[in-house]
Amino acid sequence: MIIDLRSDTVTKPTKGMLDAMWNAEVGDDVFSEDPSINKLEAKAAEMFGMEAGIYCPSGTMTNQTAIKVLTQPQQEVICDVQAHIYKYEAGGMAFNSGVSPRLVNGDRGRMTPQDVIDNINPENTHFAPTSLVALENTSNRGGGSYYTMKEMAAIHQVVKDNCLKFHLDGARIFNALTETHDNPKDLGKLFDTISVCLSKGLGAPVGSVMLSSKENIHKAKRIRKVFGGGMRQAGFLAAAGIYALDNNIKRLKEDHQRAKIIETTLKNLTYIESIMPVDTNIIIFKLNNSMTHEDFLAKLAAKNIKAAATTKQTIRMVTHLDFNDDMLDVLVNTLKSI
Ligand SMILES: *Cc1c(COP(=O)(O)O)cnc(C)c1O
């Protein structure tokens, strides 16, 4: 038994999901003729109160497509310094859209309305025109911290007052909604574009959807094409996404509960320096100088447990669909015995 906690992307399709994929009706999606993709796009759009959606191979592509739709070259994008769109998309916003990031030092990946106000450039030829604000919910590098609908609505007010655009990197939005109990439909009223990953906690092998107005999705289709993301009979993959939305949202709570148990375990261990608050399914902690992160990872590996070092002495674990209670027991006992 391998216990892989490096990310919630490591899940493999279950029997039920594979059956749904096997039975998928497909067609050529570049002609918009794949019934499964059309169904997934419409379903996701409807869930979030948006007009339309577009299916892409990755969350990087849905984010980058959204930024391209919402900006013009030379403009500036306000995001947190920890944001995936800045840190983990290979410089994509500069490369693809010719825009620069304006980085906010937020609280575990989250900005306040005042942070946004403070970072909007005044009208002056020296400055890049501020055009887009991008939030990440939950925040990956922020250790799974989340925004409530009320907090996002307050930022939306600033965005609206300043005639800016608003993007949500909702790679793990269902993890946030699991905790806040907010209605996903209300997100459609706040954001111009939303990106949702199906391949994280929801357990699909591939895919993300970008949601927006019909007009923006029409633009996004050409952008996806130039990014090389126009797929053909990808309905086999979309079927996994539909299955994930139907079956794997409710169970996210279990991932959060297991993450909490890991947090509690870590709190009592002598080799731990600090633990970020565990709000959803991500656990980030620092080792003190009694143990190097290489040593710690090797000790876990000896018990077939995989975790990730995000920086020197900092470890990340992410709970997911393929991490069950038996594995949790092994992990807890191993952590205590180290
Ligand atoms: C995983 C992730 C993405 C998208 O990643 P891909 O690997 O390109 O699918 C985007 N944003 C956040 C916050 C993520 O965690």
Side-chain angles (χ1 to χ4, degrees), residues 22 63 69 105 139 153 158-159 182 213 249 261 277 282 324:
W22 181 255
N63 278 334
V69 167
N105 268 308
S139 165
V158 175
V159 164
D182 288 324
S213 63
I249 295 173
I261 293 172
I282 301 178
N324 59 30

Side-chain angles (χ1 to χ4, degrees), residues 23-318:
N23 293 314
E25 258 189 84
V26 299
D28 191 329
D29 185 52
V30 172
F31 297 114
S32 299
E33 282 175 6
D34 188 299
S36 299
I37 292 182
N38 292 341
K39 186 175 164 192
L40 170 64
E41 290 171 345
K43 181 183 178 70
E46 144 87 20
M47 284 175 94
F48 286 88
M50 286 287 202
E51 282 175 8
I54 184 169
Y55 182 59
C56 290
S58 72
T60 298
M61 193 181 284
T62 44
N63 278 334
Q64 291 298 318
T65 300
I67 293 169
K68 184 82 184 149
V69 167
L70 298 177
T71 62
Q72 293 299 320
Q74 202 179 10
Q75 294 179 337
E76 201 162 82
V77 177
I78 298 176
C79 65
D80 189 90
V81 67
Q82 306 276 24
H84 195 280
I85 57 166
Y86 164 64
K87 222 175 159 97
Y88 293 121
E89 297 187 7
M93 73 168 85
F95 188 84
N96 296 317
S97 300
V99 295
S100 42
R102 174 69 164 256
L103 302 174
V104 171
N105 268 308
D107 168 34
R108 289 193 292 140
R110 292 163 304 182
M111 300 185 267
T112 62
Q114 193 60 44
D115 286 331
V116 175
I117 292 168
D118 293 345
N119 284 283
I120 297 172
N121 285 330
E123 174 53 42
N124 176 316
T125 50
H126 291 85
F127 300 134
T130 305
S131 72
L132 172 65
V133 177
L135 304 187
E136 184 173 308
N137 196 14
T138 66
S139 165
N140 181 343
R141 288 279 301 186
S145 60
Y146 56 82
Y147 292 95
T148 63
M149 194 69 67
K150 212 171 144 206
E151 289 163 339
M152 291 186 283
I155 297 175
H156 172 256
Q157 191 58 48
V158 175
V159 164
K160 212 173 102 192
D161 292 346
N162 291 278
C163 302
L164 306 175
K165 298 282 201 260
F166 205 21
H167 172 66
L168 175 63
D169 178 352
R172 295 186 181 81
I173 188 61
F174 287 110
N175 293 89
L177 295 169
T178 295
E179 293 302 318
T180 63
H181 305 288
D182 288 324
N183 184 348
K185 273 205 169 35
D186 292 332
L187 288 166
K189 298 179 196 137
L190 301 182
F191 291 94
D192 292 285
T193 50
I194 301 176
S195 161
V196 180
C197 285
L198 304 161
S199 61
K200 299 268 164 81
L202 297 187
V206 176
S208 290
V209 281
M210 179 195 135
L211 311 169
S212 191
S213 63
K214 277 189 184 144
E215 191 188 344
N216 282 341
I217 295 299
H218 181 71
K219 287 183 190 158
K221 286 213 166 157
R222 182 171 282 125
I223 294 164
R224 182 183 66 177
K225 186 71 185 158
V226 79
F227 286 170
M231 298 185 285
R232 304 295 179 173
Q233 288 75 23
F236 293 115
L237 298 170
I242 294 168
Y243 183 91
L245 291 174
D246 283 337
N247 296 281
N248 292 344
I249 295 173
K250 263 217 183 95
R251 60 154 306 286
L252 290 172
K253 187 74 201 164
E254 282 178 39
D255 295 343
H256 299 184
Q257 285 161 348
R258 292 189 184 108
K260 270 286 175 201
I261 293 172
I262 298 170
E263 179 190 33
T264 309
T265 306
L266 292 168
K267 274 188 177 151
N268 296 312
L269 299 174
T270 54
Y271 54 87
I272 305 291
E273 171 91 27
S274 58
I275 314 165
M276 260 195 210
V278 173
D279 293 337
T280 52
N281 70 328
I282 301 178
I283 306 117
I284 297 179
F285 56 96
K286 240 186 141 121
L287 303 167
N288 60 29
N289 47 27
S290 69
M291 185 159 10
T292 66
H293 66 264
E294 289 95 344
D295 253 6
F296 179 71
L297 291 179
K299 284 183 168 133
L300 291 183
K303 295 280 164 84
N304 288 325
I305 300 168
K306 296 181 184 187
T310 53
T311 58
K312 203 165 161 343
Q313 293 302 87
T314 305
I315 304 290
R316 187 179 88 150
M317 293 179 175
V318 188

